[in-house]
Amino acid sequence: YFYRKGKPPRRHPPKKPSSNQTDPVGVYCRVRPLGAEDEECCIEVISSTTIQMHTPEGFKTNRNGEYKETQYSFKKVFGVSVSQMELFEHVAKPLVDDLIRGKNGLLFTYGVTGSGKTFTMTGSPGQGGLLPRSLDMIFNSIGPYQAKRYVFKTDEKNSIEIQTEVDALLERQRRDNNLSVPKTPSTRLKADPEIADMIKPEETSKSDGVDDDSSYSVFVSYVEIYNNYIYDLLEETQEDAIKPKPPQSKILREDQNHIMYVAGCLEVEVKSAEEAFQVFWRGQKKRKVANTRLNRESSRSHSVFIIKLAQAPLDADGDNVLQDKNQISVSQLCLVDLAGSERTGRTGAEGTRIREAGNINQSLLNLRTCIEILRENQMCGTNKMVPYRDSKITHLFKNYFDGEGKVRMVVCVNPKTDDYEETLLVMRFAEMTQEVEVARPVDRPICGFTPGRRHRNQAFKDELSHPGILPSLPSCELTDPHDDITLPRLIEALKNRQRIKQMLMKDYNKIGVSNMMKPVLQELDTSLISKDNFIQEQNGKLIEKDKIIQGNKAEIERLEKKTKMQEHKIDILQKTTKIFEDDKRSLQHELETREQRLQRELSEKRRMEQRMHGVISDTQFKWEKECERRVNALQLEMQNKLWVKDEKLKQLKAIVTESKTPGRPEPPPRQTQSASPSPVPVCCLKTIMVNGILRSTFLSVARSACEEQAAQDSMQGYSSPSTPTRTPTRPQASTGTSVSRARRRAVCLSRVDERDCFPSPSFHVDLIERRYRVSELAKGIRPRHRRSCSAGGEKWVDHKPSSSMDLGTVLQPVIPNAIQVSAPSEKALSKCDRYVLTHQEVASDGEIQTKLIKGDVIKTRGGGQAVQFTDIETLKQELTTCSVAVAMRAGSNLGPGLEHHAVTKRRKP
């Protein structure tokens, strides 16, 4: 805290002592009748204290889709047939009795927009609400004991002062002269047609606890809280048609007794219920209302009508009000009509209406928050700060929740199904509010004067004015300053009254009644005092008993609430236990299922390991065979090379020996069985290595071009019989030339064998295979037939899409015992063990290549089939420019005239 320099801090006076007894907030429920256009009802009145909410169609509250019905209890439930009078008797009449006894009270209506809050508070002609009936009961009770106007005077600090009769008279004259309108008579006012006959004569009420030795005066004020600003509805503003001024908002302040009030708010002193209601209606016409989709006249603000009752005791003579400010008792009753909570989606609000609805909902939310924290502090023993200052409506009435008076709430509900969700929130808030305890206010201190002063003073005045004992006084009005008749007549009447009084005193003394009556009166006074003391003592004991009873009742209610709460917790725990048990069973079942699945996966893993071991051993065995075959092929190749070289040497030897014998005729050349001596281009078709295994190999070639050329060159030394022989001029030179030519041919043949016939390294494996097959054919052994991996004992699904092209190549996949389909189906897969898909795509060199994608058909747990792909076999066609022809002579192991021809076949476009 920061203090001003040179000034001590202001000390707050001690607060009024509050009693240790508490009362719960009284919450009542009123059900509005169902409209003619509504058919379905979601609220049912079960008893006088309980209602039941039925979930309408379209609102599913449980996960299983069942309807959930909830019950809510109140202090009393008023059905659709309950009258306004019965509602007032139970709700507002006790608060009016407390107001007359000097205690404060707060009554507010709460609910959804269009639920009947304004009708409950104000009413209609012939069906007056809580406000007009409260005013009628107040003035019916204190009417004969009201002080004259302006005897009680309000100040700017929420307190009331007392003026003397003379000051009050002067105040009345001054205000009457300032009024431009004629003074309203004290009789029944002429009311507006809209509020005429609000209360029927037979429905009037009256309080029995009025202190006739006190004087009363009633002040009313009317404010509204709009967009969290406070405006005075009774304030008279100068209306300017050209440039109207907006109303000025008021602020909240705290008086010396720590009670919140609206500073600068106009308080009007009223002397009758009609006058008070006229003041209320004048402010009601200024209240903010608007037409929405749900309500034709929807309140856009919270209205607060404050009835303030000031009372002070009479003096010892019972004639005038006691001029002591400390003896003044001020009590007030606040009647609050809260604006209804609404959703903009349903009301169709736009612009200003959206901002108004947001402020209304925010203030109601702050009220719920304050109630929740109060309840938590009382039930859990916490000391959280209640956020009263977050909203004007809670800040203004914080004293009531702190123990300055009773608090009662009327919850208005509309049973139509459209308001079901919002009504559900209202019911939960009302149920929570009932658990808040408010301290009971202390009683007003008793004045020390003798009771019955007013009646004794009135009886004395009546006795003095009785004509049988003393003559009445003549008129004392002076109409003329030169009047010599009125004053002598008054003097004569007074002398006559004095003479009669003296005669009566003489008679009284003669009889001695005074001496006889004095001890009797003293004895009666003594007995009366003792009886009063006894009555006070018994009243004190009765009050103590009542306190004990109230404490026991409160304890019983607390225990009942605690029991209900514990039962509710037990139900929740039972439901939670059931849910946990269900979850436990489901988790155990899931655990068992997963364990079984794990066991199956482990067994499958072991089977897969065994299968993989078998596959590894088979693959190893195949590779060993393949390596052995390749070694044999290389050996055959080397043997063939040696044989070719031996043949060449033999031919060279024969040529050399023959060239050395002159005169010997040359033998005729040996004719070969070659159908085409010219070289023919070869088309080589090969398969690619897949998964490290050579699937198939094929090469078709003609005779070796080099050997053919060598054979032809060897025959050039011989001439046919028909061809004449030309004699060389230089035989030595020709012999040397033939020898060198033979040597060059041998070298050419060896180079062609090693280099020219196989220009690309990719033909190395094909050459080995070719020579192997040639050697096999030369030996007369039938070559081993290589089967495709697609052939087997299993049954295959041959999936060939309709877009596949027939390339017309030599190597074509043929799968026996297969079901050919253009699209796989469950029926075809269920009958087979293996699956192959023929897929064609363009290779990197622009040629089309065919892939055979193979897999195993596996049965699934659900009874279906799945394909697990295991292998890819690629078929590719290539063109080459190599042309090889082989011509074998007599004595060759390959056999006479054996030729291989390969003709390039054009691929279909």
Side-chain angles (χ1 to χ4, degrees):
Y1 296 94
F2 298 95
Y3 303 124
R4 294 182 180 179
K5 185 176 180 181
K7 292 185 179 181
R10 182 170 62 93
R11 292 185 178 180
H12 294 286
K15 298 179 71 174
K16 294 181 180 179
S18 60
S19 81
N20 295 326
Q21 297 180 357
T22 58
D23 293 319
V25 177
V27 181
Y28 301 85
C29 180
R30 186 179 193 183
V31 182
R32 176 179 175 172
L34 196 65
E37 66 278 3
D38 300 322
E39 297 180 357
E40 188 177 0
C41 179
C42 63
I43 295 177
E44 179 185 0
V45 180
I46 296 179
S47 64
S48 60
T49 59
T50 307
I51 66 171
Q52 184 170 356
M53 298 272 303
H54 300 281
T55 306
E57 291 291 339
F59 294 92
K60 303 295 184 180
T61 55
N62 288 342
R63 277 184 276 178
N64 54 5
E66 297 179 357
Y67 292 134
K68 183 179 180 181
E69 297 179 353
T70 55
Q71 294 183 359
Y72 298 93
S73 299
F74 297 90
K75 191 170 183 179
K76 190 170 181 61
V77 176
F78 301 96
V80 296
S81 60
V82 175
S83 62
Q84 297 275 62
M85 182 63 187
E86 186 177 354
L87 179 68
F88 171 77
E89 289 286 339
H90 288 87
V91 178
K93 188 175 181 179
L95 295 180
V96 177
D97 288 333
D98 290 342
L99 178 71
I100 296 174
R101 293 186 178 91
K103 299 179 182 179
N104 300 328
L106 171 63
L107 173 62
F108 60 94
T109 56
Y110 183 85
V112 185
T113 180
S115 58
K117 301 182 297 300
T118 304
F119 176 77
T120 301
M121 183 60 68
T122 306
S124 62
Q127 296 181 354
L130 300 178
L131 190 146
R133 293 183 185 275
S134 299
L135 292 173
D136 181 72
M137 180 177 176
I138 290 172
F139 285 101
N140 288 339
S141 303
I142 67 170
Y145 312 118
Q146 289 190 76
K148 294 182 180 181
R149 198 180 295 270
Y150 306 123
V151 172
F152 291 92
K153 182 181 179 181
T154 60
D155 58 2
E156 299 296 332
K157 298 180 181 179
N158 199 35
S159 61
I160 293 180
E161 299 176 350
I162 299 178
Q163 298 186 121
T164 61
E165 291 288 342
V166 177
D167 294 336
L169 180 60
L170 295 175
E171 183 77 15
R172 285 195 298 271
Q173 291 177 356
R174 182 175 61 81
R175 298 205 179 193
D176 290 342
N177 293 331
N178 293 334
L179 291 176
S180 59
V181 295
K183 183 179 178 181
T184 304
S186 59
T187 58
R188 183 178 180 87
L189 297 176
K190 183 179 179 181
D192 288 345
E194 298 181 4
I195 61 172
D197 300 329
M198 295 289 289
I199 304 173
K200 297 178 182 179
E202 62 272 11
E203 294 180 354
T204 57
S205 302
K206 186 177 181 181
S207 178
D208 298 332
V210 181
D211 185 10
D212 53 2
D213 290 328
S214 298
S215 185
Y216 300 88
S217 185
V218 179
F219 298 87
V220 295
S221 59
Y222 196 22
V223 298
E224 71 171 352
I225 301 175
Y226 176 71
N227 290 337
N228 209 27
Y229 290 98
I230 301 177
Y231 298 100
D232 187 4
L233 296 176
L234 303 181
E235 185 178 12
E236 297 293 339
T237 57
Q238 297 294 333
E239 296 183 358
D240 190 355
I242 299 175
K243 190 177 181 181
K245 294 182 179 180
Q248 298 295 324
S249 61
K250 306 298 180 181
I251 60 174
L252 292 176
R253 289 183 179 175
E254 191 177 43
D255 62 2
Q256 60 182 358
N257 295 323
H258 302 287
I259 297 177
M260 303 305 300
Y261 70 98
V262 181
C265 177
L266 180 63
E267 294 180 345
V268 181
E269 185 178 7
V270 291
K271 294 300 179 182
S272 65
E274 291 80 6
E275 183 182 357
F277 200 80
Q278 283 279 16
V279 173
F280 164 77
W281 196 252
R282 188 179 68 199
Q284 183 73 5
K285 292 179 179 180
K286 296 182 181 180
R287 189 181 175 187
K288 304 291 189 305
V289 293
N291 184 13
T292 63
R293 190 182 300 173
L294 299 179
N295 194 354
R296 185 173 61 86
E297 293 183 358
S298 176
S299 302
R300 315 308 297 170
S301 63
H302 309 298
S303 65
V304 182
F305 188 76
I306 303 174
I307 305 172
K308 187 178 292 185
L309 179 63
Q311 51 183 318
L314 298 175
D315 54 8
D317 295 333
D319 193 10
N320 298 319
V321 180
L322 185 64
Q323 298 293 319
D324 187 1
K325 189 176 181 179
N326 296 326
Q327 295 294 330
I328 301 175
S329 175
V330 180
S331 57
Q332 66 180 11
L333 174 63
C334 296
L335 302 176
V336 185
D337 182 13
L338 295 176
S341 60
E342 60 184 29
R343 294 183 180 180
T344 56
R346 294 186 56 214
T347 58
E350 296 179 356
T352 305
R353 299 292 170 260
I354 293 180
R355 186 166 62 91
E356 292 173 353
N359 290 319
I360 291 171
N361 295 334
Q362 183 62 36
S363 61
L364 296 177
L365 178 61
N366 292 334
L367 177 62
R368 287 195 290 268
T369 303
C370 293
I371 295 295
E372 288 177 359
I373 295 178
L374 277 174
R375 172 177 170 270
E376 183 179 355
N377 290 341
Q378 293 175 3
M379 298 186 67
C380 302
T382 58
N383 193 19
K384 293 184 179 179
M385 185 183 70
V386 184
Y388 290 118
R389 294 179 179 270
D390 291 349
S391 175
K392 291 292 192 299
I393 193 70
T394 55
H395 194 195
L396 180 59
F397 299 120
K398 65 180 292 292
N399 306 105
Y400 290 94
F401 293 103
D402 291 340
E404 290 293 337
K406 290 184 178 180
V407 181
R408 294 196 173 185
M409 179 175 69
V410 180
V411 177
C412 300
V413 294
N414 195 339
K416 65 180 182 179
T417 57
D418 295 340
D419 295 343
Y420 173 75
E421 291 183 328
E422 298 178 11
T423 303
L424 202 62
L425 298 176
V426 170
M427 291 298 172
R428 293 173 182 172
F429 171 68
E431 190 176 35
M432 176 186 62
T433 307
Q434 294 182 95
E435 299 178 359
V436 176
E437 300 283 342
V438 178
R440 185 180 301 176
V442 296
D443 294 332
R444 187 183 61 178
I446 301 175
C447 182
F449 294 104
T450 305
R453 301 183 302 278
R454 183 187 292 271
H455 290 291
R456 285 199 298 270
N457 183 41
Q458 188 65 31
F460 179 71
K461 290 180 179 180
D462 293 342
E463 187 70 22
L464 290 179
S465 61
H466 196 277
I469 300 176
L470 296 175
S472 60
L473 295 176
S475 177
C476 302
E477 184 178 2
L478 296 175
T479 59
D480 189 2
H482 301 286
D483 188 2
D484 297 334
I485 299 175
T486 303
L487 290 179
R489 186 187 303 167
L490 181 59
I491 294 172
E492 184 66 25
L494 292 175
K495 289 181 179 180
N496 190 15
R497 292 170 67 90
Q498 182 67 20
R499 188 173 59 254
I500 293 173
K501 183 178 179 180
Q502 290 178 358
M503 290 174 60
L504 291 174
M505 291 296 294
K506 288 180 180 179
D507 294 339
Y508 179 76
N509 292 330
K510 287 181 181 179
I511 297 173
V513 177
S514 60
N515 295 329
M516 296 174 61
M517 293 297 296
K518 188 174 181 178
V520 176
L521 292 174
Q522 290 179 353
E523 184 178 356
L524 290 175
D525 290 338
T526 304
S527 62
L528 182 62
I529 291 171
S530 62
K531 288 181 180 180
D532 289 340
N533 294 332
F534 179 75
I535 290 172
Q536 290 180 359
E537 183 180 357
Q538 295 299 323
N539 287 333
K541 294 181 180 180
L542 185 61
I543 290 171
E544 292 179 358
K545 297 294 184 182
D546 290 337
K547 290 181 180 179
I548 295 173
I549 292 173
Q550 293 295 334
N552 293 334
K553 287 182 179 179
E555 184 68 18
I556 291 172
E557 291 178 356
R558 187 183 65 82
L559 293 176
E560 288 179 352
K561 291 180 180 179
K562 189 174 180 181
T563 303
K564 290 181 180 179
M565 187 180 298
Q566 296 297 330
E567 290 177 354
H568 182 64
K569 289 182 179 179
I570 290 172
D571 294 338
I572 294 175
L573 291 175
Q574 288 178 352
K575 293 179 181 178
T576 307
T577 305
K578 186 177 179 181
I579 293 172
F580 285 164
E581 289 177 353
D582 295 339
D583 293 342
K584 181 181 177 181
R585 285 194 294 269
S586 63
L587 290 175
Q588 287 179 352
H589 180 68
E590 185 177 358
L591 181 61
E592 293 175 357
T593 305
R594 292 191 177 184
E595 288 179 352
Q596 294 175 1
R597 187 185 303 169
L598 181 61
Q599 293 296 332
R600 288 195 298 270
E601 290 178 355
L602 291 175
S603 60
E604 187 174 356
K605 181 179 178 182
R606 288 192 292 270
R607 289 195 300 271
M608 185 63 70
E609 289 177 354
Q610 295 174 1
R611 187 184 302 171
M612 292 305 297
H613 286 308
V615 171
I616 291 171
S617 60
D618 293 342
T619 306
Q620 187 176 2
F621 178 75
K622 289 179 181 179
W623 274 107
E624 290 177 354
K625 291 292 183 181
E626 183 69 18
C627 290
E628 184 178 355
R629 186 184 64 79
R630 291 185 182 182
V631 170
N632 293 332
L634 288 174
Q635 290 178 356
L636 290 174
E637 180 185 1
M638 298 305 294
Q639 289 177 2
N640 290 332
K641 284 183 180 181
L642 292 175
W643 173 79
V644 171
K645 288 182 180 181
D646 291 340
E647 288 295 324
K648 289 178 183 179
L649 290 175
K650 288 179 181 181
Q651 290 176 5
L652 288 175
K653 286 179 179 181
I655 292 170
V656 171
T657 56
E658 288 177 359
S659 63
K660 288 181 180 181
T661 58
R664 185 178 181 180
E666 294 180 0
R670 183 181 296 273
Q671 298 293 331
T672 61
Q673 297 178 3
S674 174
S676 177
S678 62
V680 181
V682 180
C683 176
C684 300
L685 179 67
K686 69 174 182 178
T687 58
I688 309 302
M689 295 285 289
V690 179
N691 294 337
I693 303 174
L694 186 63
R695 293 299 183 187
S696 62
T697 323
F698 184 79
L699 182 64
S700 177
V701 297
R703 281 181 184 171
S704 172
C706 296
E707 293 182 2
E708 181 74 19
Q709 186 66 29
Q712 290 178 4
D713 291 342
S714 64
M715 296 302 177
Q716 287 179 2
Y718 299 94
S719 61
S720 61
S722 60
T723 304
T725 305
R726 184 176 297 180
T727 304
T729 60
R730 297 178 65 182
Q732 295 178 356
S734 62
T735 304
T737 303
S738 62
V739 172
S740 62
R741 187 183 300 166
R743 289 179 179 176
R744 285 195 302 269
R745 287 175 182 173
V747 172
C748 178
L749 183 61
S750 62
R751 288 179 180 177
V752 168
D753 272 339
E754 294 176 1
R755 193 172 58 246
D756 296 338
C757 294
F758 306 99
S760 174
S762 63
F763 291 140
H764 181 67
V765 179
D766 297 336
L767 178 61
I768 297 172
E769 184 73 12
R770 179 183 63 80
R771 291 181 175 177
Y772 174 76
R773 292 193 178 187
V774 170
S775 63
E776 291 289 339
L777 290 174
K779 293 178 182 180
I781 300 174
R782 186 177 180 182
R784 184 176 59 184
H785 175 66
R786 292 183 56 82
R787 300 180 64 189
S788 173
C789 291
S790 303
E794 301 91 350
K795 196 168 185 179
W796 289 74
V797 175
D798 189 2
H799 179 195
K800 291 185 178 180
S802 58
S803 60
S804 298
M805 299 174 59
D806 186 9
L807 301 181
T809 58
V810 176
L811 186 59
Q812 288 289 338
V814 178
I815 305 175
N817 195 18
I819 300 175
Q820 293 186 359
V821 294
S822 61
S825 63
E826 184 179 356
K827 183 177 180 181
L829 291 174
S830 62
K831 296 179 180 180
C832 300
D833 300 327
R834 303 292 301 276
Y835 170 85
V836 60
L837 169 63
T838 303
H839 172 66
Q840 292 182 345
E841 63 181 5
V842 179
S844 60
D845 55 359
E847 297 293 334
I848 295 179
Q849 66 179 9
T850 303
K851 289 187 177 181
L852 302 180
I853 304 172
K854 303 176 183 180
D856 297 333
V857 179
I858 302 174
K859 293 185 179 180
T860 61
R861 291 181 59 188
Q865 286 79 25
V867 177
Q868 182 178 2
F869 295 100
T870 58
D871 192 9
I872 298 176
E873 182 174 339
T874 305
L875 306 178
K876 186 176 180 182
Q877 176 176 292
E878 292 183 356
L879 293 176
T880 181
T881 58
C882 178
S883 171
V884 181
V886 180
M888 306 303 297
R889 297 187 65 181
S892 175
N893 292 331
L894 293 176
L898 181 61
E899 294 181 357
H900 292 269
H901 300 281
V903 181
T904 303
K905 189 175 183 180
R906 293 183 59 86
R907 181 166 50 89
K908 291 182 181 181

